[in-house]
Amino acid sequence: MRALRAELRRALLSPLFFVGTAVIVLGLLYGASVDLAASAISQTDALSVFRYSYCFNNSFLFVGVGAAIPFAGSFCEDYRTGMLRLQLTRESRWRYLLAKVLACAVSGGAAVVLACAVFFCVCVAFRGEAASLDTGEWAALVGHEPFVELIVEGRLLLYGLLFCAAQFIYGAFLAVFGLVISMFALYAYAAYAAPFIGGIVFVKLVNIGLWPMNLNLMTLAYGSYFGEGLQTLAVIAGVYGSLVALMALVGLHRLGVVIDHAL
């Protein structure tokens, strides 16, 4: 528990946490620049502008990099500075890696959620109206995108909570993916590049039919529907959670190899 608290402080109080958040916000602002600039003549509500930028425009590339920046490169930093050797004299390999994975997941997920909140506030500032049912757009998306039925029912707060929970899990997965890849490369920048490159490769696999569209890991958290409310969230958490657990096991094996080679 002490190791986890220390890692969480490193992850969440680091300037890199805010850098990662800023990368995501700037990417989303770039994707929405045309819609936001047209605010004077457009009737599009704030949530629609948010959706167009976040769910399209290849925003997963910015999200992946931003989620990884806060802490995914921390293992390489420990290895480079010799802190890894010191920490492993105080605790087991499994506890060290578990604290590292959890702190990385929390920082990545928190960066994504904070960036979404900031960007949505910007959209509201330009549009004024959070969500409008007048156009019929949201009703047409029910059953196709997660949690949208809550918007139609007027339960915007619950929609926001479930959406943010899904994006937190998404960011956690991307950050841990970067962490584990960096453990093989032993190069911190690999942690930031891995979600970017991996996202492009994975989308290509989906596009050529080698992976099902509704389980596209780059869009699963905001683009796939598996039932109302908590049912969809449970599937999203199950898919990403299983992958994080698998990556933790891979990381534990790799940690043993690194230790045996370096110590």
Side-chain angles (χ1 to χ4, degrees):
M1 185 63 71
R2 182 183 302 173
L4 178 58
R5 287 198 297 266
E7 294 286 48
L8 284 172
R9 283 196 297 270
R10 285 180 64 192
L12 297 176
L13 300 180
S14 167
L16 289 178
F17 176 77
F18 300 99
V19 171
T21 302
V23 166
I24 300 173
V25 172
L26 291 174
L28 294 175
L29 286 173
Y30 175 77
S33 58
V34 174
D35 291 319
L36 293 176
S39 59
I41 59 175
S42 174
Q43 300 301 315
T44 307
D45 60 73
L47 194 55
S48 294
V49 175
F50 177 95
R51 173 180 172 269
Y52 296 151
S53 183
Y54 189 77
C55 301
F56 305 102
N57 297 314
N58 293 325
S59 65
F60 64 87
L61 300 175
F62 298 103
V63 174
V65 174
I69 286 176
F71 209 56
S74 61
F75 175 81
C76 295
E77 181 183 353
D78 290 351
Y79 178 79
R80 179 180 58 82
T81 61
M83 188 181 295
L84 175 62
R85 183 192 301 246
L86 178 62
Q87 288 182 302
L88 290 177
T89 62
R90 299 175 177 176
E91 57 199 4
S92 67
R93 299 178 182 182
W94 173 247
R95 287 186 178 181
Y96 167 82
L97 184 67
L98 181 61
K100 184 71 68 179
V101 167
L102 289 176
C104 187
V106 169
S107 63
V112 174
V113 171
L114 179 58
C116 286
V118 170
F119 177 60
F120 181 69
C121 289
V122 172
C123 293
V124 171
F126 273 82
R127 296 300 185 186
E129 185 175 20
S132 172
L133 297 179
D134 294 340
T135 63
E137 174 187 11
W138 295 112
L141 292 173
V142 172
H144 300 283
E145 291 188 10
F147 321 125
V148 177
E149 67 278 358
L150 297 172
I151 299 176
V152 177
E153 296 170 4
R155 303 162 73 185
L156 291 179
L157 179 58
L158 182 57
Y159 169 83
L161 291 174
L162 292 181
F163 183 85
C164 286
Q167 307 325 302
F168 181 92
I169 298 167
Y170 177 44
F173 160 74
L174 292 169
V176 174
F177 177 70
L179 170 69
V180 173
I181 293 299
S182 74
M183 294 178 70
F184 286 87
L186 295 180
Y187 186 57
Y189 288 103
Y192 314 141
F196 184 91
I197 298 173
I200 293 174
V201 171
F202 198 84
V203 168
K204 293 294 184 184
L205 292 177
V206 172
N207 289 340
I208 63 178
L210 296 180
W211 192 267
M213 178 67 74
N214 66 331
L215 290 178
N216 184 346
L217 299 180
M218 296 300 107
T219 62
L220 178 67
Y222 54 78
S224 296
Y225 179 83
F226 300 100
E228 294 188 358
L230 293 177
Q231 185 174 334
T232 290
L233 183 62
V235 174
I236 292 170
V239 172
Y240 285 134
S242 298
L243 290 172
V244 167
L246 178 61
M247 288 189 292
L249 292 175
V250 172
L252 182 63
H253 173 74
R254 177 58 181 170
L255 178 60
V257 173
V258 172
I259 292 171
D260 293 340
H261 177 73
L263 302 185

